[in-house]
């Protein structure tokens, strides 16, 4: 599995958790249970992994400046 695929899987995990919690359910995976109290944590994790996917795809969303050097 590539790093991009792993990051996409994590995005999917967080989206699944977020939807379950928003529907008033808890979400359990790998021995961890998340509830409505964890919604901010879930969203933070999803946003992290979404940014990570973009970085791995080469679209980091960073701000680049253009510098022009000339001899005078």
């Amino acid at each position: 599995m590539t790093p991009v695929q792993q990051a996409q899987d994590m995005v999917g995990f967080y989206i699944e958790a977020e939807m379950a919690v928003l529907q008033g359910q808890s979400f359990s995976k790998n021995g961890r249970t998340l509830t409505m109290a964890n919604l901010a944590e879930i969203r933070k994790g999803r946003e992290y992994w979404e940014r990570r996917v973009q970085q791995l795809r080469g679209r980091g969303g960073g701000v680049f400046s253009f510098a022009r050097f000339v001899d005078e």
Side-chain angles (χ1 to χ4, degrees):
M1 180 179 288
T2 69
V4 172
Q5 290 169 324
Q6 289 174 326
Q8 287 173 323
D9 286 350
M10 290 302 296
V11 170
F13 168 80
Y14 277 100
I15 288 172
E16 187 179 350
E18 188 173 0
M19 289 188 323
V21 168
L22 287 170
Q23 292 173 0
Q25 304 169 8
S26 63
F27 179 81
S28 297
K29 192 161 191 171
N30 298 330
R32 185 166 183 204
T33 301
L34 301 171
T35 63
M36 188 60 109
N38 302 106
L39 188 56
E41 178 184 346
I42 293 167
R43 287 184 172 156
K44 186 176 178 180
R46 177 183 46 81
E47 290 166 357
Y48 168 82
W49 285 105
E50 287 171 341
R51 284 190 307 274
R52 186 71 180 124
V53 167
Q54 294 302 314
Q55 289 170 346
L56 290 168
R57 287 182 174 165
R59 295 181 295 228
V63 177
F64 296 95
S65 297
F66 180 78
R68 185 172 176 207
F69 299 96
V70 293
D71 288 333
E72 292 187 30

